[in-house]
Amino acid sequence: MKLNFKKMMYVKVLIMVIAIWFVPMTYSNGAEAPAGDVAEAPVANAFNNDWYDARATFYGDIHGGDTQKKKVEEKMTTQKKEMEVVKDLDLERYMGRWYEIASFPSIFQPKNGVDTRATYTLNPDGTVDVLNETWNGGKRAFIQGSAYKTDPKRDEAKFKVKFYVPPFLPIIPVTGDYWVLYIDPEYQHAVIGQASRSYLWILSRTAHVEEETYKQLLEKAVEEGYDVSKLHKTPQSDTPPESNAAPDDTKDQMLK
């Protein structure tokens, strides 16, 4: 039986493409990495490097260059680098109301929430009272919690935020990271993230920001390895609602 040389070559190329494209990236212990969690891999071992090099090289070759390979390498380098947080944050200046301009979609916030905001109040012991509010269908959803420095001895603006759920019987503590990645000199705009880069918030003292300012805030997030294409802009009214101007939604809550 004669073998068709061209068909054999096609089959080999197809097998190579499948192998390069679909071999899962693994952690150093061999477990498959969760989607979107590249930054959490303990060590980029030889297999990871070879897989990315092969994938990027092949993709670049078929498009006539190394452009795609460089993009993959740059993305991995950015995601692996340790995030820089604000140092020597003036906590008293940071207190007050902040409006959510944009955020990553989260199961902890109502999907169609509008006029979302957070209000922070400093306590005598250095902890912070947190009030998160949003409006959905004319009803106000909210949750109250507290924040504290992750390490009081360090000057980094890394906080832990603790809430108690569910709203009808708040007895279960839920704790999350709150890292101030950027604050402008006037304390009018801020970028908030956390260790895994799974959450991101763009905050402002006003309900609306200029487009140029928004772009600058996005650039700050990109510098810290965030994929800002996942950001969802939060609708804000020209006249922000008062907390007591709508009935409370006791079935819904939000965390931030």
Side-chain angles (χ1 to χ4, degrees):
M1 181 177 65
K2 292 184 178 180
L3 297 177
N4 189 309
F5 180 74
K6 285 188 177 181
K7 287 185 177 180
M8 289 179 62
M9 289 300 296
Y10 290 150
V11 171
K12 286 183 177 180
V13 170
L14 180 61
I15 292 174
M16 181 177 67
V17 171
I18 293 173
I20 291 173
W21 221 216
F22 293 100
V23 172
M25 187 179 75
T26 62
Y27 285 99
S28 57
N29 62 6
E32 184 173 344
D37 206 16
V38 177
E40 296 302 301
V43 179
N45 58 20
F47 177 81
N48 288 344
N49 292 335
D50 291 344
W51 182 81
Y52 262 94
D53 286 343
R55 170 174 162 172
T57 301
F58 180 80
Y59 193 72
D61 287 345
I62 63 176
H63 283 273
D66 295 330
T67 303
Q68 297 299 327
K69 179 181 178 180
K70 289 179 180 178
K71 286 184 178 180
V72 171
E73 291 174 345
E74 289 173 358
K75 182 177 180 181
M76 288 190 68
T77 300
T78 302
Q79 287 186 330
K80 286 178 184 176
K81 79 159 191 166
E82 186 175 352
M83 280 186 285
E84 295 183 9
V85 300
V86 172
K87 294 184 178 180
D88 298 317
L89 180 74
D90 188 334
L91 203 53
E92 289 187 5
R93 290 186 66 190
Y94 192 76
M95 295 299 97
R97 179 167 291 176
W98 289 91
Y99 295 91
E100 182 185 278
I101 303 303
S103 68
F104 281 1
S106 165
I107 61 173
F108 301 115
Q109 293 184 222
K111 184 177 180 181
N112 299 315
V114 301
D115 295 317
T116 305
R117 65 197 187 197
T119 304
Y120 306 127
T121 305
L122 187 62
N123 295 315
D125 62 358
T127 61
V128 177
D129 284 338
V130 179
L131 171 62
N132 290 338
E133 302 172 282
T134 192
W135 276 258
N136 189 5
K139 292 185 177 181
R140 170 180 173 261
F142 72 97
I143 191 168
Q144 293 175 287
S146 61
Y148 53 92
K149 286 284 293 290
T150 303
D151 185 351
K153 296 180 180 179
R154 299 181 65 113
D155 60 357
E156 297 176 319
K158 293 182 177 181
F159 297 86
K160 290 289 186 181
V161 183
K162 180 185 292 186
F163 299 95
Y164 287 88
V165 296
F168 53 85
L169 187 62
I171 58 174
I172 303 173
V174 176
T175 304
D177 291 325
Y178 184 108
W179 291 9
V180 183
L181 305 180
Y182 171 77
I183 185 83
D184 71 303
E186 288 73 34
Y187 280 61
Q188 296 298 303
H189 307 102
V191 178
I192 310 300
Q194 44 82 260
S196 70
R197 295 182 174 87
S198 299
Y199 302 98
L200 179 67
W201 293 274
I202 307 295
L203 304 181
S204 174
R205 293 292 193 184
T206 57
H208 305 282
V209 298
E210 298 289 338
E211 188 61 27
E212 185 60 31
T213 299
Y214 181 68
K215 289 180 180 179
Q216 292 173 359
L217 296 172
L218 295 190
E219 289 174 3
K220 296 294 182 182
V222 170
E223 290 173 4
E224 300 305 331
Y226 278 91
D227 178 6
V228 296
S229 67
K230 296 190 294 184
L231 275 173
H232 170 75
K233 279 194 173 184
T234 306
Q236 294 283 353
S237 304
D238 293 332
T239 304
E242 295 297 327
S243 298
N244 58 359
D248 292 340
D249 187 350
T250 57
K251 297 180 181 179
D252 211 345
Q253 63 178 349
M254 59 176 298
L255 306 180
K256 187 187 300 181

